[in-house]
Amino acid sequence: MYNPAISEHPFTTNPVSGKPAESDLDTALSSLYENLARGVPQTRLRAEAATHLKQTILDLQQADCDLPSSPDDLFEWMHANAEDATRQYTQYLDGRKAGEPRRYFTNRAHALYFLRMVAPTKLVDGAWLYGLLRHWRNPRLADLVRTYVEELGEGSHDKNHVLLYRQLLSRYGVDSLDGIDDSSFMQGLVQLSLAWNADEFLPEVIGFNLGYEQLPLHLMITAYELNELGIDPYYFTLHVTVDNSDTGHAKRAVQAVIDNIPRLGDASEFWSRVRNGYKLGNAGVGTTSVISGFDIAKEVVRIFSQKSLAGHGAHSDYCRVGGRHVNDWLANPADMPQFIDSLKRAGWIKVGGAVEESRFWQLLQGERAEMFGVFSSYELQVIYDWIRGEASRDGQAYTAHADVDGKQRVPSFRVAERLAGVRGQRMPPVQPPGGLLDSDLQSLTAQLQKLDAEGQNELLLEAMSPALHWTPAGLSATRLFCERWSAS
């Protein structure tokens, strides 16, 4: 998508940090991910992404692939998968009605941890199709271009998938990705690498899309349990509906394979590469692995370690725990496990009891909480659930009043929203970005007036890139693109 004719305009830099789109490269997955997500990557960075992609494909050569042996059987395969997923989901619901516990999330902190750990993937949702956008005039790619535009919400601020996820993270205080393990960036990196090398990896893009747009069981269970825990499930329920096998992305993904099998080239080689692209969906840490990897005690240690350096030197000399000054404890993040143990031995934290019994919690919450504002809402929820132990299975938010008798049920998100609406307490919806003061939106508007039709198209496509499509400028560009596409 790189166009030298417009390479100097502001979209070649990170719209947040203003750093150049290409910096000194690093072998870390998170570093390559960040460089690709910043803006329009230049040739050297794209080449590194392509090399990473080729190696990942080699690494997955022996991975399981449940695709049929022939693309002629894809529609039957799609319907069988959808029926199996819905059948298993019905069994799950029957089990829940019979009293089975949540399958995925032990408590509210666990669910928020999941949202945070999968964020590197969700924040580039749909990116694997971006490189096909410039080929929007090719009717064989129409289903794929349409899917990408719908991932962008067709320019609507309340349907753009990435913007919805960003708002979800912000709402629950999990928008900081500091300290996330490097492996969590693998799946997002695959998607960005496909985005910026689509011409070289067209069959793999089509194969990846084929797998990613099918309806998985975990998506439905995740949405159900988030709602049960009082967390907005809309991002996930939206994917359940748009990925349907009748009129949705799942069917279009199958049709795209059929439409693009070469008539003049080697169809068997193309299908083999489609299968390789399909297996790329297994790269990195999967949903269920992220969920099963939650250890609340380790997450507490991580949170304390991250806060330690900022808190070092901020405590008075008389603050001592376990015979050491608090400032001394906080000077070294590696000491946090011992510091936490000392707080427990000293009675400051009583794990397994009511949070009101822990003096440390009173420092974080309350009328005269000395440490109010030090921890984010996500971090407070983790500490809250950790202290409460088994009692945290009720899904109670740390902001709620303690349920003394244990009989009061935590309302689901949808129930809470309806009650808030009845009481006039519901938050007003986020307003569309049309009237926002935004430098990129101003730049987009000004440049469109100076360019010819083809230059305008290039500029719109660049503003619809993974780095920008969720911003006011990107949303505006998407709407303009949709108008031009429908008129062509």
XYZ file of all heavy atoms in Angstrom, residues 27-31 33 52 113 117-121 179-190 282-286 289-290:
228
model
N 14.302 -8.193 17.342
C 13.792 -9.528 17.109
C 12.587 -9.839 17.981
O 11.910 -10.836 17.749
C 14.885 -10.581 17.370
O 15.378 -10.418 18.704
C 16.030 -10.418 16.378
N 12.309 -9.042 18.989
C 11.163 -9.288 19.851
C 9.874 -9.161 19.063
O 9.714 -8.267 18.240
C 11.171 -8.313 21.027
N 8.949 -10.082 19.336
C 7.667 -10.050 18.643
C 6.950 -8.734 18.895
O 6.372 -8.144 17.976
C 6.796 -11.217 19.109
C 7.333 -12.633 18.863
C 6.359 -13.662 19.426
C 7.565 -12.878 17.391
N 6.964 -8.283 20.142
C 6.246 -7.057 20.482
C 6.827 -5.851 19.756
O 6.098 -4.941 19.356
C 6.284 -6.820 21.995
O 7.618 -6.775 22.467
N 8.147 -5.838 19.546
C 8.779 -4.716 18.860
C 8.388 -4.693 17.384
O 8.037 -3.637 16.833
C 10.299 -4.809 19.000
O 10.934 -3.771 18.293
N 5.748 -6.096 16.086
C 4.310 -5.791 16.103
C 4.078 -4.288 16.190
O 3.305 -3.711 15.414
C 3.678 -6.500 17.293
C 2.244 -6.124 17.617
C 1.183 -6.911 17.191
C 1.943 -4.996 18.390
C -0.144 -6.583 17.498
C 0.638 -4.654 18.702
C -0.392 -5.453 18.254
O -1.687 -5.117 18.571
N 9.433 -13.227 8.850
C 8.809 -13.801 10.046
C 7.621 -14.683 9.660
O 7.426 -15.774 10.216
C 8.351 -12.686 10.983
C 7.512 -13.165 12.114
N 8.051 -13.768 13.236
C 6.162 -13.169 12.286
C 7.070 -14.114 14.056
N 5.924 -13.752 13.503
N -8.455 -10.015 33.101
C -7.113 -10.478 32.721
C -7.141 -10.992 31.284
O -6.255 -10.687 30.478
C -6.672 -11.578 33.677
C -5.476 -12.386 33.227
C -4.185 -11.983 33.542
C -5.645 -13.576 32.522
C -3.081 -12.739 33.133
C -4.552 -14.339 32.117
C -3.281 -13.913 32.432
O -2.201 -14.665 32.033
N -4.933 -9.708 28.088
C -3.933 -10.554 27.461
C -4.185 -10.780 25.972
O -3.245 -11.022 25.217
C -3.870 -11.898 28.186
C -3.361 -11.805 29.616
S -1.701 -11.099 29.738
C -0.738 -12.388 28.966
N -5.434 -10.719 25.545
C -5.719 -10.899 24.109
C -5.780 -9.563 23.370
O -6.016 -9.535 22.164
C -7.031 -11.690 23.881
C -6.925 -13.072 24.499
C -8.243 -10.944 24.419
N -5.540 -8.473 24.077
C -5.632 -7.150 23.464
C -4.712 -6.970 22.258
O -5.125 -6.377 21.254
C -5.367 -6.062 24.504
N -3.454 -7.465 22.275
C -2.614 -7.261 21.092
C -3.224 -7.843 19.815
O -2.971 -7.329 18.719
C -1.317 -7.989 21.465
C -1.262 -7.896 22.957
C -2.690 -8.082 23.385
N -4.015 -8.881 19.955
C -4.695 -9.444 18.785
C -5.940 -8.639 18.433
O -6.176 -8.288 17.268
C -5.089 -10.907 19.042
O -3.925 -11.667 19.350
C -5.786 -11.506 17.836
N 4.039 -4.924 30.309
C 4.334 -6.173 30.981
C 3.686 -7.400 30.382
O 3.843 -8.505 30.902
N 2.967 -7.266 29.268
C 2.370 -8.431 28.630
C 3.474 -9.272 27.994
O 4.385 -8.757 27.350
C 1.334 -8.008 27.568
C 0.072 -7.481 28.254
C 0.971 -9.169 26.656
C -1.049 -7.151 27.300
N 3.385 -10.573 28.178
C 4.396 -11.484 27.662
C 4.519 -11.362 26.151
O 3.530 -11.171 25.437
C 4.032 -12.923 28.044
C 5.149 -13.894 27.707
O 6.121 -13.961 28.469
O 5.047 -14.572 26.660
N 5.744 -11.496 25.658
C 6.019 -11.304 24.236
C 5.210 -12.257 23.353
O 4.802 -11.902 22.252
C 7.513 -11.499 23.979
C 7.989 -10.796 22.716
O 7.738 -9.584 22.582
O 8.587 -11.465 21.861
N 4.954 -13.467 23.842
C 4.220 -14.446 23.048
C 2.791 -14.008 22.758
O 2.179 -14.478 21.794
C 4.204 -15.799 23.760
O 3.537 -15.699 25.007
N 2.259 -13.105 23.564
C 0.891 -12.634 23.354
C 0.769 -11.768 22.096
O -0.345 -11.490 21.655
C 0.415 -11.829 24.567
O 0.353 -12.649 25.714
N 1.904 -11.353 21.534
C 1.881 -10.514 20.344
C 1.967 -11.329 19.046
O 1.867 -10.769 17.960
C 3.030 -9.505 20.384
C 2.853 -8.440 21.438
C 3.257 -8.658 22.737
C 2.269 -7.214 21.116
C 3.082 -7.679 23.719
C 2.100 -6.240 22.080
C 2.496 -6.474 23.385
N 2.152 -12.635 19.163
C 2.375 -13.461 17.976
C 1.200 -13.421 16.995
O 1.379 -13.196 15.795
C 2.661 -14.898 18.392
C 2.686 -15.893 17.252
S 3.956 -15.536 16.010
C 5.196 -16.738 16.464
N -0.019 -13.646 17.481
C -1.156 -13.706 16.581
C -1.414 -12.361 15.908
O -1.669 -12.297 14.700
C -2.403 -14.154 17.336
C -3.629 -14.374 16.477
C -3.412 -15.347 15.332
O -3.856 -15.080 14.218
N -2.732 -16.453 15.577
N -1.311 -11.276 16.664
C -1.466 -9.949 16.070
C -0.372 -9.658 15.065
O -0.615 -9.012 14.027
N 0.844 -10.134 15.341
C 1.956 -9.933 14.422
C 1.714 -10.671 13.107
O 2.018 -10.148 12.026
C 3.259 -10.406 15.070
C 4.511 -10.343 14.215
C 4.740 -8.942 13.665
C 5.726 -10.797 15.030
N 1.165 -11.875 13.173
C 0.816 -12.606 11.953
C -0.162 -11.793 11.109
O -0.002 -11.658 9.882
C 0.209 -13.985 12.305
C -0.480 -14.602 11.094
C 1.288 -14.925 12.822
N -3.345 -20.782 14.227
C -2.880 -21.481 15.427
C -1.595 -20.891 15.988
O -1.074 -21.385 16.993
C -2.645 -22.961 15.112
C -3.929 -23.687 14.771
O -4.971 -23.430 15.359
N -3.862 -24.586 13.791
N -1.057 -19.864 15.338
C 0.190 -19.261 15.811
C -0.041 -18.506 17.113
O -1.063 -17.842 17.292
C 0.745 -18.308 14.756
N 0.901 -18.622 18.019
C 0.791 -17.880 19.274
C -0.060 -18.595 20.307
O -0.384 -19.776 20.189
N -0.441 -17.845 21.317
C -1.199 -18.381 22.444
C -2.688 -18.287 22.127
O -3.205 -17.211 21.839
C -0.892 -17.594 23.739
C -1.620 -18.217 24.926
C 0.612 -17.578 23.992
N -3.400 -19.411 22.176
C -4.816 -19.438 21.874
C -5.678 -18.958 23.020
O -5.212 -18.785 24.152
N -5.821 -21.222 26.083
C -4.529 -21.231 26.780
C -4.346 -19.971 27.617
O -3.814 -20.016 28.728
C -3.389 -21.356 25.773
O -3.444 -22.595 25.101
N -4.784 -18.827 27.068
C -4.732 -17.580 27.832
C -5.565 -17.702 29.100
O -5.134 -17.328 30.200
C -5.237 -16.398 26.983
C -5.423 -15.148 27.846
C -4.272 -16.105 25.847
